[in-house]
Amino acid sequence: MLMNFLNQLVDACLQFGRQPQDQQRPSFNDFVEPVYQLFQKVHEQYLENFKEYRAMLNAPGTFSAKAEELCARLTTDNRFSADQEAKVVLFMEVSRQQITSYAGEETLIGFLTGISSYLSRAFTEVCGTQYSGGTLHVTSPVFRNTLAGQLRKMTAEAALTEEGKHTAGAQVLDGIVAELQSGFAAVTKSYLALRTKMTG
């Protein structure tokens, strides 16, 4: 579900970004509102995913066993989202290229860069292997990799009790969710400003 919403969101933004500059004056109902609704769904799905991750950590059993199971889930989630993550990188590149055409449209710029910033928190671009046409760009799922790395670190930490590991795991999850919520709040603020400006 997340990947479906993410795909729709990025496609909508890419379609707008590829329009000729003299046509890039979107209406609230045709562009801003549907893009925000898709963004909201993407955010809700991220929160749902991390709610599921928390439930896995809170299930009966040792911390190390649950952490290992969750790390396997994170790897699977990463694998299934690879295509969309690559598209997110394309969206961020198009955003950077198009942003200069929005002179005098600070509120719109804030809205689009807010979405780009949110997505860049979830996926970061990693330069990979050089090839004849340039550099192969891949993406790294920041939040999932951060969580997996911290879980492995906690599992290996002999000084932490079982309770301490559970507490530390919950803190990492809470920190990631707080970042997602912060990014969502920034986009929502720009959206509300655009709604006021464009609809009176």
Side-chain angles (χ1 to χ4, degrees), residues 106-117:
E106 290 83 4
T107 313
L108 178 60
I109 290 172
F111 180 64
L112 293 174
T113 55
I115 293 173
S116 180
S117 177

Side-chain angles (χ1 to χ4, degrees), residues 54 57-58 61-67 147 150-173:
R54 179 184 284 277
L57 276 183
N58 290 337
T62 65
F63 180 84
S64 59
K66 292 181 288 186
L147 179 57
Q150 290 296 317
L151 290 174
R152 292 188 179 103
K153 184 178 179 181
M154 291 170 212
T155 300
E157 184 55 68
L160 280 176
T161 63
E162 278 288 302
E163 183 179 351
K165 290 176 182 179
H166 279 95
T167 300
Q171 288 174 343
V172 172
L173 278 165

Side-chain angles (χ1 to χ4, degrees), residues 42-110:
V42 167
H43 177 66
E44 289 168 358
Q45 286 297 306
Y46 272 125
L47 294 183
E48 185 61 32
N49 281 359
F50 278 92
K51 184 178 178 181
E52 292 171 7
Y53 299 157
R54 179 184 284 277
M56 290 178 71
L57 276 183
N58 290 337
T62 65
F63 180 84
S64 59
K66 292 181 288 186
E68 183 178 347
E69 181 183 357
L70 180 49
C71 285
R73 161 75 186 273
L74 293 168
T75 299
T76 299
D77 287 353
N78 291 347
R79 189 177 303 120
F80 280 108
S81 64
D83 289 347
Q84 283 72 24
E85 290 167 9
K87 188 176 284 188
V88 166
V89 171
L90 176 59
F91 163 59
M92 288 188 285
E93 289 175 352
V94 169
S95 294
R96 286 193 292 265
Q97 293 167 5
Q98 294 292 332
I99 210 69
T100 55
S101 68
Y102 305 138
E105 299 286 346
E106 290 83 4
T107 313
L108 178 60
I109 290 172

Side-chain angles (χ1 to χ4, degrees), residues 111-128:
F111 180 64
L112 293 174
T113 55
I115 293 173
S116 180
S117 177
Y118 178 99
L119 295 178
S120 71
R121 294 181 187 203
F123 309 118
T124 188
E125 186 176 2
V126 179
C127 292

Side-chain angles (χ1 to χ4, degrees), residues 9-50:
L9 171 63
V10 176
D11 278 344
C13 292
L14 283 172
Q15 183 177 3
F16 170 72
R18 288 172 172 152
Q19 292 177 358
Q21 291 187 11
D22 59 353
Q23 296 178 20
Q24 290 182 350
R25 290 297 175 267
S27 73
F28 182 82
N29 290 330
D30 292 338
F31 178 73
V32 176
E33 180 65 25
V35 164
Y36 180 75
Q37 293 299 323
L38 285 169
F39 174 73
Q40 199 168 24
K41 290 176 182 176
V42 167
H43 177 66
E44 289 168 358
Q45 286 297 306
Y46 272 125
L47 294 183
E48 185 61 32
N49 281 359
F50 278 92

